[in-house]
């Protein structure tokens, strides 16, 4: 079974530029998550999709971040314009169901973003 | 508020046993999960406790006590490959938000 695929693995941009990340979840997984992980900290949920609908985006900085999940499969996360504090690893995860109890999430390797 | 507290670092010797604690401050949650993350790698699921008590999966065990707002991950027969960061995580019942702790970096000495 293929895992969660993310691209690119690394991205370096200058502040005020735009950047986009792509995620392909495990086949059949209805729930998709985007996390931001700053060095030395735990993942912070940015947005959660159930199929192609948004379940939770309360921690997404909507003035500069946007995300979509077309057709309930692949997803893209965009930052426009980027700030220095956006430097982090952006992780995508998926789960088979939005089970509120035992919610096993499968993570991709992440995209490491450096904003200069 | 919602928060999960973990020690930032723990050091242990190869072959030994180590316990990583997680204390939480949230009014209610569905259960406590543990994830392992190697440097530069993806977090991977290790264990879940929905009920109080001990769950065992090979060399790893996890424990939850809701009355004490406390849980831990126990790693036995430590191997060098266990050097990684370990995160506890919950989903809060009030708002269904997923919260991760800041992680515990485990250093293993030969």
């Amino acid at each position: 079974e293929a895992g969660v695929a993310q691209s690119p693995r690394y991205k370096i941009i200058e502040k005020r530029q735009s950047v986009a990340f792509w995620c392909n979840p495990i086949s059949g997984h209805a729930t998709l998550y985007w996390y931001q992980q700053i060095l030395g900290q735990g993942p912070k949920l940015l947005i959660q999709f159930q199929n192609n609908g948004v379940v939770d985006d309360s921690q997404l900085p909507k003035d500069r971040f946007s995300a979509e999940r077309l057709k309930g499969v692949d997803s893209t996360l965009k930052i426009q314009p980027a700030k220095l504090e956006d430097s982090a690893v952006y992780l995508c995860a998926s789960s088979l169901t939005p089970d509120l109890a035992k919610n096993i999430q499968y993570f991709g390797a992440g995209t490491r973003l450096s904003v200069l | 508020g919602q928060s999960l507290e973990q020690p930032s670092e723990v050091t242990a010797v190869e072959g030994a046993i180590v316990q990583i604690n997680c204390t939480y401050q949230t009014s209610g949650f569905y259960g406590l999960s543990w994830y392992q993350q190697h440097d530069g790698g993806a977090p991977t699921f290790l264990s879940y406790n929905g009920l109080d008590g001990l769950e065992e999966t090979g060399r790893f065990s996890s424990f939850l006590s809701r009355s004490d707002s406390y849980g831990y991950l126990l790693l036995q027969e430590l191997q060098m490959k266990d050097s990684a960061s370990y995160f506890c995580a919950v989903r809060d019942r009030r708002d269904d938000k997923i919260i991760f702790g800041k992680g515990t970096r485990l250093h293993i000495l030969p």
Side-chain angles (χ1 to χ4, degrees):
Chain A
E1 179 183 76
V4 176
Q6 289 189 249
S7 68
R9 284 300 314 274
Y10 306 92
K11 190 73 177 179
I12 301 174
I13 61 173
E14 294 186 351
K15 60 183 179 183
R16 291 187 288 275
Q17 285 187 321
S18 302
V19 65
F21 313 126
W22 173 83
C23 173
N24 180 237
I26 293 174
S27 177
H29 280 198
T31 310
L32 185 147
Y33 313 80
W34 282 103
Y35 289 88
Q36 180 192 59
Q37 186 175 26
I38 293 173
L39 186 64
Q41 296 186 21
K44 172 188 168 185
L45 181 66
L46 293 176
I47 189 167
Q48 177 183 341
F49 291 95
Q50 175 65 16
N51 295 309
N52 60 351
V54 175
V55 173
D56 180 5
D57 64 356
S58 58
Q59 300 191 94
L60 186 73
K62 298 179 184 66
D63 58 333
R64 298 184 300 106
F65 286 63
S66 65
E68 61 181 6
R69 189 180 184 195
L70 300 175
K71 300 180 181 178
V73 182
D74 292 6
S75 177
T76 57
L77 176 69
K78 297 179 182 178
I79 307 175
Q80 180 180 10
K83 292 185 175 181
L84 297 176
E85 59 260 36
D86 298 332
S87 295
V89 175
Y90 290 85
L91 294 164
C92 178
S94 69
S95 63
L96 187 58
T97 70
D99 186 353
L100 296 178
K102 187 174 183 178
N103 177 248
I104 299 176
Q105 297 181 46
Y106 298 85
F107 285 81
T111 297
R112 185 176 297 274
L113 174 67
S114 296
V115 182
L116 307 178
Chain B
Q2 308 162 327
S3 68
L4 296 172
E5 299 295 329
Q6 302 178 237
S8 59
E9 293 185 87
V10 171
T11 300
V13 178
E14 188 177 16
I17 299 173
V18 72
Q19 178 174 312
I20 298 174
N21 298 325
C22 176
T23 57
Y24 51 87
Q25 295 181 13
T26 180
S27 59
F29 60 93
Y30 290 98
L32 186 68
S33 299
W34 288 93
Y35 286 80
Q36 178 193 59
Q37 186 178 30
H38 288 98
D39 283 348
T44 56
F45 174 81
L46 287 178
S47 185
Y48 172 80
N49 292 77
L51 301 173
D52 284 6
L54 191 68
E55 292 284 341
E56 297 181 78
T57 308
R59 293 188 298 115
F60 294 0
S61 303
S62 57
F63 174 82
L64 175 65
S65 170
R66 291 178 185 269
S67 59
D68 295 326
S69 298
Y70 165 73
Y72 66 73
L73 179 69
L74 191 72
L75 296 83
Q76 303 181 68
E77 301 173 18
L78 285 172
Q79 301 175 11
M80 297 304 293
K81 67 179 182 179
D82 298 330
S83 294
S85 292
Y86 294 83
F87 298 90
C88 56
V90 298
R91 185 187 289 268
D92 195 291
R93 277 187 185 273
R94 293 178 307 167
D95 54 16
D96 294 338
K97 289 197 185 303
I98 300 168
I99 309 164
F100 277 79
K102 291 188 175 182
T104 299
R105 188 169 184 86
L106 174 61
H107 302 278
I108 299 176
L109 304 176

